[in-house]
Amino acid sequence: MKYYLILVLFLSITIARAQEIDTTLIKLETVLKNAVTNSEKVDALLALGEYELDHNFSKAESIITEAYTISKSHQEQVGKKLQALVEVQLGVLKRRKSKYTEAISHYLNALSFFETQKDTANIADVYHNIGVLYKFQRDYKTSFEYLNKAKDTHKNMANQQGVANALLMIGSNYNMLKKRDSAELLYSEAKNLYLAVNDYSSVEKVNNYLASLYAKSGKDSLALQLNKENIERSKNNNEYLNLINNYLSISNTYYKQKEYRTAGKYVDSAIKLSKREGFKQKLAIAYNKKSQLWYKLKNYKSAYLSHRKYKKYADSLFNVETTKKLQELELQYKFEKERQRIAQKAQTEATQKWLYFTLFLLTLASTVLIIILLKRNFSNRTKITNEKLAQEKAQKLALNKKVKVNEEETKRLIADNSMRLEFKQELLDQLKTETVNIQSLEEMKKKMNSLISKLQLQITTENKLSAIQDKIQEVNKGFDKKLREQYPKLTKTDREICALMRLNLSIKEIATIRNSSVDAVKAARYRIRKKMNVAAGEELEYLIQSL
C-alpha cells in the first residue's frame, strides 16, 4: 500500500508537470505567431528553441536555424545582441551534434560581442558552454578553467542558478576523473541551490548525474531507483536528451549486476533515440557499451561490429584534427582579442597625445594672451602713472612758481613793514620835537596835515601786510594739516613758524613778520627741530620744504 501511494504521487506529479510543459509550449508558440517585426520573431524563436533543446532536438534545430537565417538577412533590424544570442544557441546545437569546431566558433563570436558590451551575464553563459564543450572533448583542464570562470562570474552577480549549473558540470568532470567524493559533494551543493530557487527540472538533472555516480560507487539500488524515476519523467516531458542519458546510466547499473540482456535493451533504446535526434556523442557511448555487452554474452562478431561503429563515431568526435581545430580557433580568438586590446591601447595613447598637444597649444595661447593683456595693462598703467606724474609735476611747478612769487612779494612787504616801523619811530620823534616848537595855530594845523598824510601812507602799508597773511595761508593750504598729522607735538606757534620757513624766509624776516626778536625765532627753531626729531646734519628748512 505504501509503495502504491508513492507511485500514485509520482504519477500525479509527472502528469501535472506534463500539463505545465504543454502550457509553456503553447505560450511560446503563441508569442512566435504574434511576432510582427524580425526582432520580435528572432526573440520568440530563441525562447522556443531553448525550450525544444531539452524536448525535441530535431524541432529545436529547425527553429534555431530559422532564427540564424533571419538574423543574418536582417542584421540592422535584429540587432547585434540578438545575433550574439543566436550564435550561443547555434553553439549548443552544434555541440550536441558533436560538431565541436563549429560550436566553438559560434561561442567565440558571441563572446567577442558580449565582452565589448561588458555583458557579464551572457559572458558567464558562454564560459559555461565552452567549459561543457571541452568536457565532451575530454580536455578536463580547459573545461575546469572555463567552468570555474563561469561559476565565479555568476557568484559575483548573486546568480544561484548559474552557480549551480557550473557546479553540476564541474562535478561531472570529477566523476569522469573518478574523483567521486568530490563529484558527489558538488552535486549535492548544486541540488541545494536548485531547490533554493525552486528549479525542480534542474533537480531532476542532478538526479541523473547522481544515479550514474551511485552506479559507479556500488550503490546499485539507489542508482536504479533514480534512473527509473527519471526515465518516466523524461518520457512524459519529451526530454529526449535526458532520456538517452538515463537509458545509458541504467544500462551501466545492469551491466555491473551482470544482467546483460536487460542492459542491452536500454542501450538499444538509447541508440534508436540518439540516431533519431542526431546525437553522435551519445551514439559513440552507446555502441561502446553495446560492444562490451556482446563480449560478455560471448557474441564476439556482434561485439566486433559494435566496436567498429563505436570507433567510427568516436574518431569523428575525438580525432586529433578536431582537437587541433578547436585549439586553433581558440588561439585565433585570443590573438584577435589581444590585437584589439593593443589597437585600443594605441588609439587611447594617440588620443591622449593629441589631447596633451591640444592642451599644450591652449596653454601656450593662453600664456601669450595673458602676456599681451599684462603688457597692455602695464602700458596703460604706465601711461596713466606718467600722466599723473606729469600732472603732479605741473601742479608742483605751478605751486613753486606761486610760492616764489609770494615769497618775493612777502619779502617786499616785509621790507615795507620794516620801513613802517622806522616811519613810526620817526613820526614819534617828530611829534615830540615839533609839539614843543609849535608857535601858532596855523603852524599847528600845517604840521597836523603833514602827519595825516604820513599816517594815510602807513595805513596802506598795513593793508599790504594783511594781504601777506592771506597769501601765506593760501600757499600753506593743507600744509598745516599734514604737520598736525605727522608731528602732533608741534604747537600752533611752531606750525606758523614752519609755514614761514616753507616760504624760504630768513630768521630776521620771520621775526619782523611775527613782531618778535631774532633770538625768540632761533629758540623756536631749536624747539621745532627737537619735536620733529631732525638729525644734527640735516637742515630743518629742507625737511619742511620737502613736505
Side-chain angles (χ1 to χ4, degrees):
M1 185 68 181
K2 179 180 177 183
Y3 292 106
Y4 175 75
L5 289 174
I6 293 172
L7 180 61
V8 170
L9 180 62
F10 175 75
L11 289 173
S12 300
I13 293 170
T14 304
I15 292 167
R17 174 67 177 162
Q19 290 174 345
E20 182 185 342
I21 289 168
D22 289 341
T23 305
T24 304
L25 180 60
I26 291 168
K27 285 181 179 178
L28 292 172
E29 288 175 342
T30 303
V31 171
L32 177 60
K33 187 178 179 180
N34 294 332
V36 178
T37 65
N38 288 314
S39 177
E40 290 174 350
K41 285 180 182 177
V42 171
D43 199 22
L45 285 167
L46 283 172
L48 186 58
E50 185 176 3
Y51 171 85
E52 292 293 6
L53 277 170
D54 290 330
H55 297 86
N56 190 329
F57 187 79
S58 300
K59 191 176 178 181
E61 185 175 10
S62 174
I63 292 167
I64 294 168
T65 303
E66 184 183 353
Y68 182 73
T69 303
I70 295 173
S71 68
K72 285 296 180 184
S73 302
H74 306 280
Q75 293 183 14
E76 291 186 3
Q77 295 177 19
V78 172
K80 291 185 177 180
K81 183 172 182 179
L82 277 177
Q83 291 177 52
L85 291 171
V86 172
E87 293 271 11
V88 174
Q89 279 206 5
L90 267 174
V92 175
L93 184 72
K94 298 298 182 183
R95 189 197 78 216
R96 291 189 181 180
K97 294 185 73 176
S98 304
K99 296 181 179 180
Y100 297 124
T101 53
E102 293 181 39
I104 194 73
S105 179
H106 289 301
Y107 287 149
L108 294 177
N109 288 340
L111 183 61
S112 178
F113 171 76
F114 292 138
E115 285 181 336
T116 59
Q117 300 300 306
K118 296 181 180 178
D119 188 341
T120 312
N122 282 310
I123 288 171
D125 186 45
V126 176
Y127 283 160
H128 179 88
N129 281 297
I130 293 175
V132 174
L133 184 148
Y134 279 110
K135 169 181 174 289
F136 287 118
Q137 276 296 106
R138 299 174 186 172
D139 184 353
Y140 298 115
K141 181 180 178 183
T142 309
S143 178
F144 277 127
E145 179 185 338
Y146 277 100
L147 289 171
N148 279 316
K149 284 165 73 174
K151 182 195 71 175
D152 293 340
T153 307
H154 283 305
K155 193 172 183 179
N156 290 335
M157 296 169 60
N159 181 358
Q160 288 184 304
Q161 180 137 11
V163 174
N165 291 338
L167 289 172
L168 186 61
M169 289 297 102
I170 294 170
S172 179
N173 279 349
Y174 279 124
N175 191 19
M176 297 300 292
L177 293 169
K178 298 182 180 179
K179 296 181 179 180
R180 296 192 177 103
D181 290 340
S182 298
E184 186 173 4
L185 185 64
L186 290 168
Y187 289 156
S188 298
E189 192 175 344
K191 189 173 183 178
N192 290 333
L193 289 173
Y194 286 135
L195 287 170
V197 295
N198 300 321
D199 185 359
Y200 299 108
S201 178
S202 295
V203 170
E204 292 167 1
K205 289 181 183 179
V206 178
N207 289 338
N208 289 343
Y209 285 98
L210 282 170
S212 174
L213 181 67
Y214 291 152
K216 292 176 182 178
S217 303
K219 301 175 183 178
D220 297 340
S221 58
L222 285 173
L224 287 172
Q225 182 183 345
L226 285 174
N227 284 142
K228 288 177 180 179
E229 289 175 0
N230 288 336
I231 285 171
E232 289 302 317
R233 187 196 61 79
S234 298
K235 281 181 179 180
N236 291 325
N237 295 338
N238 296 322
E239 294 177 355
Y240 300 125
L241 183 59
N242 283 341
L243 185 56
I244 292 168
N245 287 331
N246 278 293
Y247 283 151
L248 294 173
S249 179
I250 200 169
S251 71
N252 286 330
T253 307
Y254 282 120
Y255 178 84
K256 280 184 65 183
Q257 293 179 342
K258 298 182 180 181
E259 295 183 27
Y260 304 126
R261 297 287 180 184
T262 307
K265 289 178 182 180
Y266 285 107
V267 172
D268 288 338
S269 297
I271 290 172
K272 183 179 178 181
L273 196 53
S274 296
K275 281 182 177 180
R276 192 186 80 183
E277 297 296 323
F279 294 144
K280 290 182 180 179
Q281 192 255 351
K282 301 301 178 184
L283 281 169
I285 296 172
Y287 276 117
N288 185 41
K289 180 57 64 177
K290 188 74 172 175
S291 175
Q292 293 172 4
L293 288 167
W294 284 125
Y295 182 81
K296 291 293 185 182
L297 293 169
K298 298 183 180 181
N299 187 341
Y300 302 117
K301 183 179 179 180
S302 296
Y304 171 71
L305 291 174
S306 296
H307 185 73
R308 283 188 62 180
K309 289 180 181 180
Y310 157 70
K311 289 292 291 181
K312 173 186 172 183
Y313 287 110
D315 288 345
S316 67
L317 297 175
F318 308 115
N319 59 55
V320 176
E321 286 299 321
T322 302
T323 304
K324 285 183 178 179
K325 187 67 176 175
L326 287 173
Q327 291 175 347
E328 180 184 336
L329 286 169
E330 188 172 6
L331 285 172
Q332 184 179 350
Y333 166 75
K334 289 180 178 178
F335 174 77
E336 180 63 21
K337 188 176 177 182
E338 183 64 18
R339 187 191 66 77
Q340 290 176 359
R341 188 188 67 79
I342 292 170
Q344 187 177 5
K345 185 179 179 182
Q347 185 179 0
T348 303
E349 289 177 353
T351 304
Q352 287 179 342
K353 286 179 181 178
W354 173 250
L355 179 62
Y356 293 150
F357 180 69
T358 305
L359 288 173
F360 171 74
L361 289 178
L362 288 173
T363 305
L364 184 62
S366 301
T367 304
V368 171
L369 181 62
I370 290 169
I371 290 171
I372 291 171
L373 291 174
L374 287 173
K375 188 175 180 181
R376 184 178 296 176
N377 183 49
F378 178 76
S379 299
N380 290 336
R381 290 180 65 182
T382 303
K383 185 178 178 181
I384 293 169
T385 303
N386 289 336
E387 288 175 356
K388 192 174 180 180
L389 288 173
Q391 187 178 1
E392 288 179 356
K393 187 175 181 181
Q395 290 175 353
K396 190 172 182 180
L397 288 172
L399 182 61
N400 288 339
K401 186 176 180 181
K402 191 174 182 181
V403 168
K404 191 171 182 181
V405 171
N406 290 334
E407 180 183 341
E408 291 174 357
E409 188 173 352
T410 301
K411 287 184 178 181
R412 182 176 58 77
L413 290 173
I414 289 170
D416 288 344
N417 188 48
S418 298
M419 291 172 63
R420 178 180 63 81
L421 291 173
E422 291 176 2
F423 169 75
K424 284 181 178 180
Q425 187 64 43
E426 183 181 342
L427 182 60
L428 181 61
D429 292 341
Q430 188 178 353
L431 281 172
K432 288 179 180 180
T433 304
E434 291 185 1
T435 302
V436 176
N437 297 326
I438 290 176
Q439 297 294 329
S440 64
L441 184 62
E442 186 67 27
E443 185 179 359
M444 183 179 177
K445 187 177 180 180
K446 187 177 179 180
K447 295 287 185 183
M448 288 298 291
N449 287 334
S450 176
L451 286 172
I452 288 168
S453 297
K454 290 181 180 180
L455 286 172
Q456 188 68 42
L457 181 62
Q458 182 60 30
I459 290 169
T460 303
T461 303
E462 292 281 352
N463 289 336
K464 289 182 179 179
L465 188 61
S466 177
I468 194 173
Q469 293 293 341
D470 294 338
K471 289 185 180 293
I472 289 170
Q473 290 179 2
E474 183 182 353
V475 171
N476 291 324
K477 188 176 182 181
F479 178 72
D480 186 71
K481 182 180 179 182
K482 189 173 287 188
L483 280 174
R484 286 199 306 271
E485 290 174 355
Q486 294 188 14
Y487 304 102
K489 292 182 180 180
L490 294 176
T491 63
K492 183 179 178 182
T493 302
D494 294 337
R495 292 197 300 274
E496 288 176 357
I497 293 173
C498 288
L500 294 171
M501 290 172 67
R502 185 166 181 263
L503 294 173
N504 204 20
L505 299 179
S506 65
I507 294 175
K508 188 176 179 182
E509 289 169 338
I510 293 171
T512 301
I513 291 172
R514 292 192 59 76
N515 195 21
S516 61
S517 66
V518 173
D519 290 337
V521 173
K522 285 182 179 181
R525 285 181 82 259
Y526 176 77
R527 188 170 59 253
I528 290 168
R529 285 181 68 91
K530 194 170 182 181
K531 290 179 180 180
M532 293 178 69
N533 296 321
V534 180
E538 189 176 359
E539 293 183 8
L540 179 62
E541 289 80 357
Y542 177 79
L543 177 61
I544 290 171
Q545 288 172 8
S546 67
L547 295 173

